[in-house]
């Protein structure tokens, strides 16, 4: 009976060892800071590429001149309004200023 208990303990110890070694390996591959904490290897995730999800989260704004919807980072903010291009921003500013430069 005691042998079975020892065997179970041994199996647990072996499992723990394998897990620790694996965590240390992944930690070394990811960052190289595998000094002491072997159980913390999974906390640091690699940074995902930010292009895809960022476009989805970007708000759309409407051009005050032509009404085209464009992403906020692509549009030009002038005052409290947004424009699809510099040309439209200029045109709107000229119209608001009272004199048309054309
Ligand atoms: Zn426009």
């Amino acid at each position: 009976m005691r042998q079975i208990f020892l065997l179970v303990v041994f199996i647990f110890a072996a499992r723990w060892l394998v897990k620790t070694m694996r965590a240390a390996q992944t930690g070394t591959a990811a960052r190289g800071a595998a000094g002491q904490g072997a159980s913390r290897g999974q906390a640091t995730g690699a940074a995902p590429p930010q292009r895809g999800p960022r476009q989805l989260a970007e708000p759309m704004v409407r051009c005050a001149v032509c009404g085209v919807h464009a992403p906020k980072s692509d549009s030009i903010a002038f005052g409290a309004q947004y424009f699809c291009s510099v040309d439209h921003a200029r045109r709107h500013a000229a119209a608001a200023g009272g004199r048309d430069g054309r």
Side-chain angles (χ1 to χ4, degrees), residues 63 65-66 84 88:
C63 176
V65 174
C66 66
C84 64
H88 280 182

Side-chain angles (χ1 to χ4, degrees), residues 90-100:
R90 251 186 229 148
R91 197 187 293 181
H92 185 80
R99 47 184 173 167
D100 206 344

